[in-house]
Amino acid sequence: MDLTSIGMKAIQEFDDIRQSPLPQERLNAARKQALAFRERFIDEPCVQFYQSADMVRVPYPTWYAYSGVYTQSTYKFPYLHILNRLFIVQFRNFLGELKTLLFSPSDIDADRETPFFKRLTNKMPNWSPLENMVAPITRDVTQALAEVGLAPEDIDYISYDHLHTQDVRQWLGTTADTTDRPAYFPNTKLLVHEKEWLSATALLPVQAEWYCPNGIDGVDPAKVIKFTGSIQLGEGLALVHTPGHTEGNHSLVARVPDGIRVTSENGVGADAYAPMNSKVNAIRDYAKSTGMEVILNGNTLEGSNEQYISMVVEKTIAGPSKNPDFPNCASSSEATPYWLIPGHKVSHLIGEAKFGTLQAEALRSNSLQKESA
């Protein structure tokens, strides 16, 4: 893929940071390059528009959310709640064109087929009447777009930090004879790391537990932009390869008025990215006794050393949030308090955010000009 032809460019700062056989040397190299990248990126102009929107809460095993923390505890409630969010970003690419990206647009209905969650609900008697209480939906993708005034044809790109629980067929459409369906987003292409795409086509059982069956089957290859390494989409917006949670994991990096926001599911919230400062005793004590700088989201430990390094990269790029004890890492699924689990506390919530001004009418005007040309 010639990135320059679509107004993007490769990011090369992180290409060689994981070459050493010594984990400490890899970590040091990664931190150094992440700091240099932050210093460069903070001088970028802000994206045109950025909004994160709450979508759906789901119960998630505490064991996975804070990998390692509770392994020596006598008791901890087995589940907490994570709140999945959609990120709507409008930016100018390097050709000067206004583009719109949806990051983490989950198809809530289709995602229920993820084997782990499907088995979880099957174990719960009378799940249907409990669903609105246990896994309440704030809005879906279509409602979120309607709220900001975007139409399906306005969306240029969708992307996910990785493809756990994701089914992209509704958004991109399919061309297979058995599953032919039109695309909900007719002009959209998927931005996905090449390693993530390849991995999703040949999963091991430990991975398949978290991927929607057939979630990418039948998608037109012309609608998929596979990249290697890290890329910058335009002014103030990048996708940085952050492997470990999955081999092709990448993080959304956006320059916004409150600094730089970094989004992935490597960690499930502020406590995971700064455990030494956590107000949760178990997390803080674990970090201090082990020296852990970050706490992994560990449902699939494809590469725990690399995930650890990636989280340090993320927090270094992000810099401090409005609470200086915690970095500006806006997890795509953030652990949040919920009345159903009163014992679950968090130290700091990143929460929803909105910056800038959306230009929906300009997008449609550009589209009409192209059609008439």
Side-chain angles (χ1 to χ4, degrees):
M1 167 60 66
D2 178 13
L3 292 175
T4 59
S5 67
I6 55 175
M8 303 179 190
K9 65 182 181 183
I11 295 171
Q12 297 176 325
E13 284 101 321
F14 303 103
D15 286 354
D16 299 321
I17 62 174
R18 300 175 192 260
Q19 299 303 310
S20 173
L22 305 178
Q24 278 286 356
E25 286 191 359
R26 297 202 300 273
L27 176 62
N28 293 338
R31 196 192 308 273
K32 180 179 178 180
Q33 287 302 104
L35 182 58
F37 180 82
R38 172 177 168 77
E39 291 174 352
R40 173 176 78 78
F41 209 74
I42 201 72
D43 290 333
E44 292 270 330
C46 292
V47 294
Q48 177 73 31
F49 177 79
Y50 175 105
Q51 180 169 348
S52 56
D54 293 351
M55 289 185 63
V56 58
R57 288 180 172 274
V58 293
Y60 189 65
T62 308
W63 181 279
Y64 294 144
Y66 298 112
S67 183
V69 170
Y70 296 101
T71 55
Q72 296 177 343
S73 298
T74 55
Y75 173 78
K76 174 64 179 176
F77 194 79
Y79 293 96
L80 50 75
H81 256 86
I82 54 175
L83 179 53
N84 178 251
R85 293 192 175 97
L86 169 69
F87 297 79
I88 305 168
V89 187
Q90 197 171 76
F91 63 99
R92 291 201 177 274
N93 66 15
F94 292 112
L95 298 175
E97 301 165 331
L98 193 64
K99 298 292 183 179
T100 303
L101 165 75
L102 300 185
F103 193 78
S104 194
S106 297
D107 181 345
I108 296 172
D109 289 333
D111 293 355
R112 292 188 175 98
E113 294 302 307
T114 302
F116 176 85
F117 288 111
K118 190 168 186 178
R119 281 204 316 277
L120 179 63
T121 57
N122 287 343
K123 290 178 180 178
M124 299 182 68
N126 302 316
W127 167 252
S128 294
L130 294 173
E131 184 170 5
N132 290 336
M133 177 177 64
V134 177
I137 297 171
T138 302
R139 59 174 67 81
D140 62 19
V141 170
T142 62
Q143 291 168 326
L145 296 186
E147 288 174 11
V148 299
L150 285 171
E153 59 269 22
D154 296 330
I155 309 305
D156 298 289
Y157 304 110
I158 63 172
S159 190
Y160 307 84
D161 51 321
H162 62 292
L163 293 175
H164 280 179
T165 78
Q166 304 301 338
D167 188 326
V168 302
R169 292 174 295 176
Q170 178 184 186
W171 308 140
L172 299 177
T174 56
T175 57
D177 292 339
T178 56
T179 59
D180 188 38
R181 70 173 88 174
Y184 184 80
F185 298 126
N187 303 319
T188 295
K189 292 188 177 182
L190 170 69
L191 295 169
V192 61
H193 197 281
E194 183 177 59
K195 287 186 176 181
E196 184 68 15
W197 186 263
L198 292 173
S199 184
T201 67
L203 297 166
L204 296 176
V206 68
Q207 299 169 297
E209 180 81 346
W210 293 94
Y211 284 81
C212 277
N214 310 311
I216 62 174
D217 287 3
V219 172
D220 184 352
K223 292 189 175 184
V224 181
I225 298 175
K226 290 174 282 188
F227 61 90
T228 59
S230 304
I231 61 174
Q232 189 161 344
L233 309 187
E235 296 177 346
L237 192 66
L239 300 177
V240 174
H241 186 207
T242 50
H245 188 64
T246 67
E247 294 176 352
N249 201 90
H250 65 264
S251 304
L252 180 74
V253 179
R255 178 70 172 95
V256 290
D258 75 345
I260 298 174
R261 291 199 167 214
V262 180
T263 295
S264 82
E265 218 175 56
N266 276 319
V268 297
D271 290 294
Y273 283 97
M276 295 282 191
N277 296 331
S278 177
K279 297 177 183 177
V280 180
N281 292 338
I283 295 174
R284 184 184 64 255
D285 292 346
Y286 175 79
K288 289 183 176 180
S289 65
T290 61
M292 291 284 188
E293 186 176 347
V294 292
I295 304 295
L296 311 186
N297 175 17
N299 58 335
T300 57
L301 292 172
E302 293 191 22
S304 56
N305 280 5
E306 298 311 314
Q307 185 175 347
Y308 187 97
I309 293 170
S310 290
M311 291 181 69
V312 172
V313 166
E314 289 177 319
K315 66 187 290 185
T316 303
I317 292 173
S321 68
K322 61 184 179 182
N323 181 340
D325 287 338
F326 299 95
N328 216 13
C329 293
S331 301
S332 52
S333 292
E334 184 177 20
T336 57
Y338 188 50
W339 65 268
L340 196 62
I341 308 175
H344 175 223
K345 309 295 183 183
V346 298
S347 302
H348 173 64
L349 280 173
I350 296 293
E352 290 182 300
K354 182 177 180 179
F355 304 106
T357 303
L358 187 73
Q359 295 189 20
E361 293 182 3
L363 292 175
R364 294 190 194 110
S365 176
N366 291 339
S367 178
L368 290 172
Q369 289 175 10
K370 289 179 181 179
E371 290 176 2
S372 61

